[in-house]
Amino acid sequence: MAQTASVEDREISSTLAPLLDHPDDAGDLSAADCARVLPRLAEIITDWETVEGDPTLARHIEDARQLVIVMEVCVASNAELLFG
């Protein structure tokens, strides 16, 4: 089920809401939130991988892959993903 995130004073319905609607330098995501975000994040990475020749996008892809790995560990361990 998609949740709603506030982005620049607009409400956006997305399964990424738990990830989008928290500060980058604080807070946490529950294992359940990670499990909800993972499928959509994987789809986004797959879409990005079709774009060639953009070194900035390549870095974002690698960062997103690392986030997926950490989220998978959190889900498997039933642990919170802490930001800080």
Side-chain angles (χ1 to χ4, degrees):
M1 181 165 132
Q3 294 178 326
T4 302
S6 298
V7 179
E8 296 180 23
D9 298 326
R10 294 181 297 176
E11 297 294 319
I12 298 173
S13 178
S14 171
T15 54
L16 296 176
L19 180 62
L20 297 174
D21 204 23
H22 78 84
D24 293 339
D25 59 353
D28 58 60
L29 288 180
S30 69
D33 285 340
C34 289
R36 281 191 290 275
V37 168
L38 274 168
R40 181 64 183 126
L41 188 55
E43 288 174 7
I44 291 168
I45 293 168
T46 299
D47 289 345
W48 285 350
E49 289 172 332
T50 63
V51 178
E52 295 182 21
D54 185 341
T56 302
L57 182 57
R59 179 64 192 166
H60 289 310
I61 291 169
E62 183 55 33
D63 291 343
R65 285 181 184 146
Q66 290 177 18
L67 179 58
V68 164
I69 291 167
V70 172
M71 290 178 131
E72 288 172 340
V73 169
C74 289
V75 170
S77 303
N78 196 30
E80 294 180 338
L81 173 57
L82 302 177
F83 294 86

